[in-house]
Amino acid sequence: MKIESITLREVQMRLKAPFETSFGVSHHRRIILVEVVADGVSGWGEVTASETPGYNSETTDTAWHVISDFVAPALIGKTLSASSDCPALLATIRGHEMAKSGVENALWDAEAQIRGVSLSKLLGGTLNEIASGVSLGIRESPLALVRRVEEELRSGYQRIKLKIKPGKDIEYVAAVRKEFPDILLSVDANSAYRLEDAAHLRQLDQFKLLMMEQPLNWDDIYAHSKLQAQIQTSICLDECINNARHALTAVELKACRIINVKVGRVGGFSEALRIHDLCQAHNIPVWCGGMLETGIGRAQNIALSTLENFRLPGDVSASKRYWKEDIIDPEVEVSPQGMIAISDQPGTGYRVKEDLIESLTVRKETLRA
Ligand code: OSB
Ligand code: MG
């Protein structure tokens, strides 16, 4: 595959409803879409960086800079035998996983189309449908949260994840658990607690949660190993895991029993597959996280979720939960049983709506040899 050009577009999209996490509230998204042309075929990728460095250290603007000045120049004009050659060409760029992932994943989409196979198959996926869960932002009251959970369960979602932070935790989880004693329920703190809060977090053990996601510092695997030894609830790491070496460290230190794989956070599909395989070998289930993606990133999350060790429902839910109109056709839909069907068409199986993207674009840059 010869890489001919890379086009960056920043699209601005308003979320249907604000999304509140322990690090802030998101109303609008500023998202970079990447279009890579290889052998005359367009592949699309999405940069999952947030607008602010509150989740990890990247932002929409740092990603634009890094792709434009470093990632694209390292790739344009090169001939690759497969997309999995990409990380070696980007090895001199430290960090900036989300920037690299947006480009590498666009190449995987192009490769799947060139080879005439589905992205799921190209990645080694085997499932023909995947289980869908939802992530619910922090609400103004436990009652408002319970109502929201009820709606999502009625739509069929198989697992409910509640965002928590100090002051909006035990009471909220207790209210939901009381109303729904048997559902798969988990919480995500996005690094809002400290190891000294272990006794407080232990109160969550009574609610039989599937997992507690990233309670402690975003870059501290060791502290999570100390916490896991003090609570019954399984810890799931999100922010801490940027590559397979981090995953191995976490598994060996017993810092978690589950890992959330976000393809952007780990630098692209090649590294996501490595983490998947490593976790499978250690009997650690993984699931696919979300970053409030457009349909382009969502379709790629769906393809990744078809690998065997994605054993738990992911944060990969229907387009209509996020957007008035998504930028792919068809939109991502979830069945009343909470499942998403996998297409066997070449590529992701979702067509990119270029006209709509053009109308949402606020800046654009094409890099070529
Ligand atoms: O921690 O999983 C997270 C959204 C933005 C940043 C971090 C996270 C999230 C979510 C939303 O939980 C998942 C989704 O619905 O896309
Ligand atoms: Mg998380």
Side-chain angles (χ1 to χ4, degrees):
M1 291 185 294
K2 177 151 191 218
I3 303 181
E4 294 157 22
S5 68
I6 297 179
T7 298
L8 300 181
R9 290 179 180 83
E10 177 183 332
V11 293
Q12 297 196 354
M13 292 172 72
R14 168 189 271 283
L15 287 165
K16 259 192 178 175
F19 189 76
E20 180 172 351
T21 62
S22 63
F23 58 83
V25 189
S26 190
H27 300 265
H28 297 274
R29 300 283 345 268
R30 293 177 52 215
I31 296 171
I32 301 175
L33 301 177
V34 184
E35 181 184 4
V36 173
V37 178
D39 295 352
V41 171
S42 275
W44 289 79
E46 174 168 343
V47 175
T48 59
S50 306
E51 297 70 30
T52 62
Y55 166 78
N56 65 5
S57 62
E58 296 186 78
T59 70
T60 310
D61 292 311
T62 67
W64 187 287
H65 157 59
V66 168
I67 296 172
S68 172
D69 292 340
F70 304 105
V71 176
L75 294 174
I76 287 167
K78 296 273 175 12
T79 298
L80 281 64
S81 59
S83 307
S84 53
D85 292 349
C86 200
L89 294 168
L90 303 179
T92 57
I93 304 167
R94 292 188 180 175
H96 300 285
E97 287 84 4
M98 290 171 165
K100 291 190 254 191
S101 176
V103 180
E104 185 192 316
N105 294 355
L107 202 55
W108 280 87
D109 178 32
E111 181 179 350
Q113 295 175 57
I114 292 166
R115 295 189 194 277
V117 298
S118 68
L119 181 59
S120 158
K121 286 271 155 31
L122 186 64
L123 292 168
T126 52
L127 304 177
N128 56 23
E129 57 176 4
I130 62 163
S132 180
V134 286
S135 172
L136 299 183
I138 294 168
R139 300 281 143 169
E140 58 284 6
S141 70
L143 183 60
L145 181 61
V146 168
R147 293 221 177 95
R148 188 73 224 190
V149 170
E150 192 174 9
E151 273 174 46
E152 302 291 2
L153 291 171
R154 230 184 294 124
S155 302
Y157 288 104
Q158 296 196 13
R159 185 232 60 211
I160 304 288
K161 163 171 134 182
L162 312 175
K163 291 289 191 182
I164 57 167
K165 66 178 182 182
K168 296 227 168 190
D169 48 17
I170 314 295
E171 202 193 340
Y172 285 71
V173 179
V176 172
R177 188 42 111 195
K178 179 150 179 269
E179 198 67 24
F180 307 104
D182 300 319
I183 60 169
L184 286 184
L185 185 64
S186 61
V187 294
D188 185 357
N190 290 109
S191 305
Y193 299 88
R194 295 296 166 262
L195 190 53
E196 298 77 62
D197 300 318
H200 177 75
L201 292 171
R202 202 182 298 123
Q203 292 177 261
L204 291 170
D205 282 347
Q206 62 186 302
F207 302 120
K208 303 278 172 274
L209 300 176
L210 181 60
M211 71 190 90
M212 178 193 301
E213 191 175 333
Q214 195 72 36
L216 308 181
N217 266 316
W218 68 288
D219 59 352
D220 196 342
I221 296 173
Y222 181 62
H224 283 94
S225 76
K226 300 283 232 186
L227 179 64
Q228 184 66 91
Q230 298 177 56
I231 63 174
Q232 283 166 19
T233 306
S234 292
I235 291 176
C236 168
L237 289 179
D238 174 354
E239 283 89 326
C240 273
I241 308 298
N242 300 119
N243 52 55
R245 291 175 291 99
H246 290 168
L248 181 61
T249 304
V251 170
E252 294 209 336
L253 286 177
K254 296 188 168 44
C256 63
R257 300 188 193 121
I258 298 172
I259 287 180
N260 165 339
V261 177
K262 287 181 183 165
V263 63
R265 195 195 66 228
V266 305
F269 281 130
S270 300
E271 197 65 22
L273 297 181
R274 254 178 235 121
I275 294 173
H276 168 273
D277 294 353
L278 178 131
C279 288
Q280 190 162 32
H282 287 85
N283 199 24
I284 298 282
V286 301
W287 56 278
C288 185
M291 290 294 293
L292 311 175
E293 288 93 343
T294 73
I296 290 177
R298 194 166 300 283
Q300 299 195 330
N301 288 340
I302 291 170
L304 182 64
S305 304
T306 62
L307 274 88
E308 215 185 350
N309 196 40
F310 280 80
R311 279 189 268 160
L312 298 168
D315 283 346
V316 184
S317 33
S319 297
K320 68 173 184 209
R321 292 191 66 247
Y322 305 84
W323 318 110
K324 197 164 125 247
E325 182 180 4
D326 204 343
I327 59 176
I328 53 165
D329 180 42
E331 301 207 342
V332 173
E333 283 182 19
V334 173
S335 76
Q337 291 72 38
M339 303 299 286
I340 298 174
I342 308 302
S343 159
D344 56 10
Q345 299 293 307
T348 63
Y350 296 88
R351 185 185 64 83
V352 171
K353 293 185 192 168
E354 295 197 44
D355 290 349
L356 177 58
I357 290 173
E358 202 59 40
S359 72
L360 298 169
T361 297
V362 298
R363 62 172 161 162
K364 181 172 171 178
E365 180 181 1
T366 296
L367 302 124
R368 50 169 60 94

